[in-house]
Amino acid sequence: MCAARGMERSEHSSEQHQQNGPWLRSAQKQDPSRSPRSYPRLHKTKSDITDMVRVADVISTNKVEMLPFPKFGLRDNLIKSELLKKEPTYTSIKDFRFQELDLSKEAFFFNDTPKEEEWFKAVSEGLHPGAKYAKIKLIRLVGIMLLLYVKKDLASHVSEVEAETVGTGIMGRMGNKGGVAIRFRFHNTHICLVNSHLAAHVDEYERRNQDFRDICSRMQFPQVDPTLPPLPIHKHDVILWLGDLNYRLKDIDMEKAKKLIECKDYITLYKFDQLKQQMEEKAVFDGFTEGEIQFQPTYKYDTGSDEWDTSEKCRAPAWCDRILWKGKHITQLDYQSVMCLKTSDHKPVSSIFNIGVKVVNEELYRKTFEEIVRSLDKMENDCIPSATLSQREFHFKDVKYMQLQVQTFTIHNDGQVACQYEFISKLDEPSYSKQWLRANPSKGFLTPGSEAQIELELFVNNQTAARLNSGEEKLEDILILHLDRGKDFFLSVTGDYLHSCFGSSIQMLCYMREPIRDMSPDTIRELAHLPLQMKDDFVGAEKPLDVPKELWMMIDHLHRNASQQEDLFQQPGLRSEFEAIRDCLDTGFPESIPGSNHSVVEALLLFLEGLPEPVICFDHYNRCLECAGDYNSSNEIISILPLHHKNVFKYLMSFLRELLSNSIKNHLDINILASIFGNLILRPPPDQSSPSNLDKRKCQEYVQQFLLATKGP
């Protein structure tokens, strides 16, 4: 069994991923509440495998085998729960070899836009010629790719295959950084493979830590049983994590590092490794293991050679490319770099593992199954499930934009029978909760006497901030927690939202000279309902600002501090710094914006994304797409925008043109800026479908016209 990981350079893009096509073979439906005599549990016949695998050495199939269940009632969940408890009685550990191949840009290099078929062909040709493999899954996020293969004779034991992506680039979505993962069940062991590309640069280890945490929290795999919550990475028996983790050497002179490398004193050098230090502090990869490193750092080399970086920047050596694991019965047999590959400034790494997998003894499984069913049959069918909650009223204080708050309560099964619980929707409502609220888990299963912790997560983002800022909605909701065949519990959730410039309209902010936290709710509500097109003679109590002061503060800060900075709009900011920037803009304190330039950039983009009415108003969206490429027609649209929207557009274009005038220093590219800002300034109306890739390119082209113009609109 092997997994191939690819990383390649690509043009800038928002989050995107490609997966395999439709299944070649539909899965057989099974009912777990029936005796296993009726259905073979795991094995397929030789003819089944022949039919499933094409004549070629590699197959394209999403799921080699899957064990879905057509019904998921209380009885089924109880059977599965009891089978899990008694798993050691019907399984044994059998070793399988698992190979990780880092077939990244370090192994292959294509000058054009990434083409999956070329990667697929290149990786497939690199597999051992003496064995036949089945391709289980391919997943890609921009330049991060993961391919999973299995020997054909083992393919029938692979099931429940899922793949997901998480972008951790700027705004938490861009795919230039992030991770891809494939999870599957092999025999009775659940395995998860993760490939990630974390934030770069020596001093940015906190951003790398944040990327890791984001991938862990946001990577969620759907389960076969729709009544169960999604599976996170850590809920697997075996986790293999690989990639360009980008951790560097810290507090060591470059010449000393190179001398230690010459002497092959990797043990001493490893003491200065950031990943080692962060793992020891339990700040990242807690519970993971990495094998002893007995190879020289994998970064940074002059491309085409084995010489260390001789460029102007002269980057220090570092073990950027790593493979770690977590779980039981895992033995690493080999961990090495591949020095012979010279097509990149990195050297790829590879590892071979021996993994003990839980293999089912069919006869013992059948006996255990039948014992559980007989025990269930003895239960009283008329017993009513019963549960108690530790708390039913929840109040969240001082809720802020993009800052998660969590409260926890316990549900305890105090009855004589198992119970299944789920948050259900109220009448005529599409979801069990308001958009800003989520229960985790939202459903579950409890055996008699057991209990579960449920977290209520309150999070205000760009989808919900506008209505809270305008007073159209309050942080108030009633949740219904339903027991299957039992009673309903009603949970009251309230909160105090602190108004923010994020999610407020351009018009409203221009008429607001004081920080928004200093304004009364009535004044904010009144300003939020000002019409877009104001009469020329209307000035209200004071003459409005030309552009929102918050927007001016961010752009002025970047103009003074970041015009020549590299990686601007490429690297995400720190969450803690964004929160400080938000509080500064909302309260007026401190007077100058805190945080790094990357965090200010991210705050600027979130500000634009959160506008209830985008810079170019919804009414003009389709017309702008039609005019893309026609500068005169495009400029006419700008001329009829509401005054303050027109001012903001001109101000932004002027700022971006100035950044581009410093491109020799900051290496900014007009395509990158036009892509990012085109899809923030131009957004489809809420009642229109999400933009296609063609629409996104037209938005980019529309903005690019103004960035190329020698004079502003």
Side-chain angles (χ1 to χ4, degrees):
M1 187 176 293
C2 71
R5 165 235 178 196
M7 293 183 62
E8 52 193 317
R9 297 196 181 278
S10 74
E11 60 189 14
H12 175 84
S13 173
S14 59
E15 179 173 346
Q16 57 179 327
H17 66 271
Q18 300 292 329
Q19 299 190 14
N20 294 339
W23 303 355
L24 293 182
R25 189 169 180 269
S26 60
Q28 185 179 20
K29 306 293 183 181
Q30 297 187 24
D31 184 346
S33 65
R34 297 184 61 178
S35 168
R37 297 178 195 276
S38 307
Y39 298 97
R41 186 173 177 275
L42 290 173
H43 298 297
K44 288 183 175 167
T45 65
K46 191 78 173 180
S47 61
D48 285 336
I49 299 174
T50 305
D51 292 338
M52 179 180 62
V53 181
R54 297 190 301 197
V55 177
D57 283 351
V58 184
I59 63 167
S60 275
T61 174
N62 269 1
K63 303 192 176 184
V64 179
E65 183 194 36
M66 189 176 170
L67 298 173
F69 305 113
K71 68 172 187 172
F72 301 94
L74 190 61
R75 178 184 179 87
D76 310 306
N77 279 327
L78 186 56
I79 290 173
K80 285 185 284 185
S81 175
E82 292 300 313
L83 281 171
L84 187 60
K85 288 180 185 178
K86 298 182 178 183
E87 187 179 53
T89 66
Y90 60 84
T91 61
S92 60
I93 302 299
K94 182 178 179 182
D95 288 343
F96 289 86
R97 185 164 293 192
F98 202 112
Q99 184 174 4
E100 290 286 351
L101 300 178
D102 183 348
L103 302 175
S104 64
K105 62 184 181 186
E106 294 86 352
F108 306 96
F109 185 77
F110 300 109
N111 292 320
D112 56 357
T113 302
K115 296 180 179 178
E116 287 182 12
E117 284 303 314
E118 291 184 43
W119 278 103
F120 175 56
K121 181 181 177 183
V123 173
S124 300
E125 290 175 351
L127 297 175
H128 196 290
K132 291 188 176 182
Y133 288 91
K135 172 190 162 194
I136 303 301
K137 194 69 174 178
L138 179 155
I139 185 71
R140 179 173 70 88
L141 173 67
V142 188
I144 311 170
M145 191 165 77
L146 190 61
L147 276 157
L148 175 65
Y149 296 81
V150 65
K151 282 188 175 179
K152 282 186 179 179
D153 58 350
L154 299 176
S156 61
H157 302 294
V158 177
S159 63
E160 299 177 24
V161 181
E162 297 289 347
E164 293 293 338
T165 70
V166 168
T168 62
I170 195 161
M171 297 175 72
R173 291 196 309 276
M174 299 299 182
N176 56 322
K177 295 291 186 291
V180 300
I182 300 172
R183 64 91 50 199
F184 60 98
R185 175 174 167 174
F186 182 52
H187 284 282
N188 230 41
T189 293
H190 295 268
I191 300 173
C192 184
L193 307 174
V194 186
N195 175 18
S196 65
H197 188 189
L198 308 185
H201 304 304
V202 176
D203 298 327
E204 302 295 348
Y205 63 89
E206 288 187 9
R207 282 188 175 85
R208 290 188 270 281
N209 295 353
Q210 179 175 291
D211 287 350
F212 169 78
R213 290 191 294 268
D214 283 348
I215 292 170
C216 287
S217 63
R218 292 168 50 201
M219 192 76 76
Q220 303 277 327
F221 303 96
Q223 296 207 59
V224 176
D225 183 345
T227 69
L228 297 177
L231 271 180
I233 292 172
H234 71 270
K235 291 284 189 180
H236 289 81
D237 301 311
V238 173
I239 305 168
L240 299 178
W241 194 305
L242 61 147
D244 181 359
L245 305 186
N246 252 324
Y247 287 91
R248 311 299 173 90
L249 296 177
K250 185 181 180 184
D251 301 327
I252 183 172
D253 176 79
M254 187 185 297
E255 291 307 313
K256 181 180 178 181
K258 289 183 177 178
K259 285 182 180 178
L260 290 172
I261 295 169
E262 279 183 32
C263 300
K264 297 187 177 181
D265 188 357
Y266 304 133
I267 294 176
T268 301
L269 187 64
Y270 183 59
K271 294 176 182 177
F272 300 94
D273 179 67
Q274 284 181 339
L275 179 56
K276 172 186 179 292
Q277 295 167 355
Q278 293 301 299
M279 289 177 69
E280 287 176 346
E281 295 176 12
K282 297 190 181 299
V284 70
F285 287 101
D286 189 22
F288 279 79
T289 303
E290 182 180 23
E292 182 180 350
I293 295 178
Q294 296 180 330
F295 50 86
Q296 68 184 50
T298 60
Y299 173 89
K300 179 181 187 198
Y301 296 86
D302 287 340
T303 303
S305 76
D306 292 333
E307 300 298 319
W308 297 114
D309 182 25
T310 59
S311 69
E312 182 182 349
K313 293 179 181 177
C314 198
R315 302 284 193 194
W319 284 296
C320 288
D321 308 275
R322 313 288 274 267
I323 299 174
L324 300 93
W325 73 89
K326 186 176 184 180
K328 296 179 180 179
H329 310 297
I330 304 173
T331 303
Q332 188 177 55
L333 304 178
D334 181 66
Y335 190 23
Q336 64 175 322
S337 66
V338 186
M339 292 295 294
C340 62
L341 293 175
K342 308 177 192 292
T343 53
S344 169
D345 55 359
H346 286 249
K347 298 294 183 182
V349 293
S350 68
S351 183
I352 298 175
F353 293 92
N354 218 41
I355 299 178
V357 170
K358 294 177 285 188
V359 177
V360 174
N361 179 303
E362 294 295 334
E363 184 60 32
L364 294 177
Y365 171 80
R366 183 177 293 108
K367 289 180 179 179
T368 304
F369 184 97
E370 290 171 350
E371 287 172 4
I372 293 171
V373 171
R374 281 196 298 269
S375 176
L376 281 178
D377 290 341
K378 294 177 182 178
M379 284 188 175
E380 296 281 342
N381 289 328
D382 57 351
C383 284
I384 298 175
S386 174
T388 56
L389 307 185
S390 62
Q391 187 178 344
R392 299 196 196 186
E393 294 185 358
F394 304 86
H395 182 73
F396 293 82
K397 295 180 180 179
D398 297 338
V399 177
K400 297 179 180 180
Y401 169 84
M402 294 285 281
Q403 189 163 327
L404 177 68
Q405 284 199 33
V406 179
Q407 293 193 30
T408 304
F409 71 95
T410 301
I411 177 171
H412 174 75
N413 183 348
D414 61 355
Q416 301 300 310
V417 293
C419 70
Q420 191 161 296
Y421 63 88
E422 180 178 7
F423 286 92
I424 60 173
S425 302
K426 297 181 283 292
L427 188 64
D428 298 328
E429 293 194 7
S431 176
Y432 68 83
S433 69
K434 300 286 180 64
Q435 275 188 286
W436 39 262
L437 183 63
R438 188 180 73 162
N440 184 24
S442 62
K443 49 195 171 185
F445 170 80
L446 292 173
T447 55
S450 64
E451 62 183 32
Q453 298 283 327
I454 298 178
E455 293 182 340
L456 295 182
E457 302 172 349
L458 199 158
F459 187 71
V460 176
N461 57 18
N462 283 332
Q463 283 68 51
T464 54
R467 290 179 60 82
L468 292 168
N469 278 329
S470 66
E472 296 173 71
E473 186 175 340
K474 294 182 179 180
L475 292 178
E476 295 178 353
D477 200 3
I478 299 292
L479 301 182
I480 303 176
L481 182 57
H482 173 70
L483 289 187
D484 187 29
R485 298 191 301 118
K487 64 185 291 187
D488 290 340
F489 297 93
F490 295 86
L491 283 65
S492 170
V493 180
T494 58
D496 303 318
Y497 183 64
L498 300 181
H499 292 94
S500 176
C501 63
F502 292 87
S504 295
S505 69
I506 291 175
Q507 196 88 328
M508 167 180 164
L509 294 173
C510 285
Y511 278 89
M512 196 179 288
R513 288 184 170 269
E514 300 299 320
I516 192 168
R517 296 267 188 89
D518 291 345
M519 309 295 289
S520 70
D522 290 340
T523 302
I524 293 174
R525 194 177 302 112
E526 181 181 344
L527 293 176
H529 291 89
L530 288 174
L532 272 175
Q533 291 284 9
M534 304 291 290
K535 294 182 179 178
D536 293 338
D537 58 353
F538 179 85
V539 293
E542 291 186 83
K543 182 180 179 181
L545 302 167
D546 292 332
V547 298
K549 59 188 178 302
E550 297 84 0
L551 179 66
W552 176 83
M553 287 179 67
M554 288 185 283
I555 289 182
D556 180 66
H557 177 94
L558 294 171
H559 167 72
R560 288 185 289 104
N561 299 290
S563 292
Q564 298 184 4
Q565 180 167 335
E566 289 187 56
D567 292 331
L568 214 59
F569 297 98
Q570 297 289 293
Q571 184 166 314
L574 281 174
R575 190 166 295 112
S576 58
E577 291 183 350
F578 166 74
E579 291 170 359
I581 294 167
R582 175 206 59 208
D583 290 346
C584 169
L585 297 175
D586 289 343
T587 65
F589 181 82
E591 292 184 1
S592 60
I593 292 182
S596 68
N597 293 331
H598 295 296
S599 296
V600 177
V601 162
E602 188 150 17
L604 170 63
L605 299 181
L606 284 169
F607 177 88
L608 294 173
E609 186 188 47
L611 292 171
E613 187 81 30
V615 176
I616 297 179
C617 304
F618 287 129
D619 288 347
H620 302 295
Y621 175 77
N622 292 312
R623 176 67 177 140
C624 286
L625 297 190
E626 295 171 3
C627 292
D630 184 341
Y631 178 74
N632 291 330
S633 298
S634 298
N635 205 13
E636 286 179 12
I637 296 174
I638 303 302
S639 68
I640 61 174
L641 290 177
L643 176 62
H644 298 106
H645 284 249
K646 181 168 35 177
N647 291 345
V648 168
F649 181 83
K650 291 180 177 180
Y651 187 43
L652 284 170
M653 294 301 105
S654 176
F655 167 62
L656 296 180
R657 282 195 294 268
E658 180 166 342
L659 287 180
L660 288 170
S661 71
N662 289 284
S663 61
I664 294 177
K665 294 279 189 178
N666 59 33
H667 301 138
L668 273 174
D669 178 84
I670 189 171
N671 294 311
I672 291 174
L673 289 184
S675 175
I676 293 173
F677 282 86
N679 289 285
L680 293 174
I681 290 172
L682 270 169
R683 303 203 308 267
D687 59 352
Q688 197 166 314
S689 60
S690 298
S692 64
N693 287 334
L694 177 61
D695 293 339
K696 290 178 181 178
R697 284 194 290 271
K698 287 183 177 179
C699 290
Q700 175 183 344
E701 187 179 358
Y702 185 91
V703 168
Q704 195 161 329
Q705 300 171 111
F706 295 95
L707 298 182
L708 289 168
T710 54
K711 294 183 180 180

